[in-house]
Amino acid sequence: MRYAVFGTGIVGRTIAAKLAALGHQTVIGTRDVEATLARTQPDSMGNPPFTQWHASLPEVRLKTFAEAAEGAEAVINATAGANSLEALTAAGADNLAGKVLIDIANPLDFSAGMPPTLNPVNTDSLGEQIQRAFPDAKVVKTLNTMNCEVMVDPSRVAGAHTVFVSGNDAEAKNQVTELLLSFGWPKARILDLGDITAARGTEMLLPVWLRLWGALGHADFNFHIAGT
Ligand code: NAP
């Protein structure tokens, strides 16, 4: 498949590297290619500048959001949740129409400091906002409830644990399920929660996830739904 991964942060890099390792033709989308390549400082999370990571994977091309989406069969949104609509708007609705749009982002609002709050929350979700803004895209919310290393290597967490999937298009969810299987997720651990409104609940797991991260002191954990 030809994938466009939107996001030059740790999540975009991790997903893009996995897709490339699986043999998918993968590009990363960014706002401004030159500006991203010119960065020399670690990002706000302490990750090395993009070029440093890119040097080990030059076959993954860096393009603008629009260029990346135009050539892709499927798009993955791994941008900052507060800016995801902006990034997808820059990609252009025509470049997203008819395509599976996998939304990994969380609508974390850091404007009042730490810990972040969620916006939207409870009666709406980022997944729904994206689906409403791009009605011709097939939005599937998944993988947002765990650390990015676990997303692409579920064996980092011992025992059974769960990945949620939601979206309005059954065939799109089937495609995403195939992708998750290729990432190493057992079929029995992929839990379809129904339409995209389920994203309200999976996004609202983030405050719990953040507290668990603090309590455990590491990110190699995940939610496990017993009784499935
Ligand atoms: P991030 O720092 O949250 O986001 C970086 C990306 O957002 C960059 O590609 C950046 O574009 C884009 N961006 C920032 N401001 C923008 C704007 N005004 N307009 C358009 N695009 C903008 O990166 P991350 O830490 O890798 O997280 C990505 C997403 O995954 C987030 O929504 C996060 O909540 C979610 N998530 C993270 C984890 C995890 O393990 N860290 C786990 C689950 C979900 P440029 O490339 O142009 O700078």
Side-chain angles (χ1 to χ4, degrees), residues 37-199:
L37 293 176
R39 288 175 192 152
T40 55
Q41 299 301 315
D43 69 17
S44 60
M45 298 298 288
N47 300 300
F50 184 83
T51 43
Q52 200 170 315
W53 171 83
H54 199 213
S56 63
L57 217 58
E59 68 271 25
V60 173
R61 301 277 308 280
L62 183 68
K63 299 186 176 188
T64 64
F65 291 127
E67 291 165 347
E70 187 181 17
E73 294 168 282
V75 176
I76 299 181
N77 175 40
T79 58
N83 305 108
S84 290
L85 287 171
E86 207 176 322
L88 292 162
T89 299
D94 287 352
N95 289 327
L96 302 173
K99 296 177 184 175
V100 174
L101 171 48
I102 302 174
D103 178 32
I104 296 177
N106 284 304
L108 299 178
D109 181 351
F110 293 93
S111 59
M114 293 295 280
T117 55
L118 289 165
N119 181 20
V121 67
N122 200 29
T123 54
D124 199 5
S125 62
L126 178 61
E128 289 167 271
Q129 287 188 333
I130 293 172
Q131 185 63 86
R132 282 200 302 275
F134 303 96
D136 295 330
K138 301 167 189 173
V139 178
V140 178
K141 188 95 196 184
T142 191
L143 291 171
N144 63 304
T145 54
M146 67 197 74
N147 176 258
C148 57
E149 299 291 346
V150 177
M151 296 178 191
V152 299
D153 182 8
S155 72
R156 290 177 72 98
V157 177
H161 55 103
T162 306
V163 58
F164 305 109
V165 175
S166 62
N168 298 342
D169 188 291
E171 181 46 36
K173 285 192 284 190
N174 287 340
Q175 275 188 48
V176 173
T177 297
E178 289 302 318
L179 183 66
L180 294 172
L181 291 170
S182 74
F183 282 3
W185 286 94
K187 196 164 180 60
R189 299 296 157 215
I190 303 172
L191 188 51
D192 185 343
L193 297 179
D195 67 40
I196 193 64
T197 62

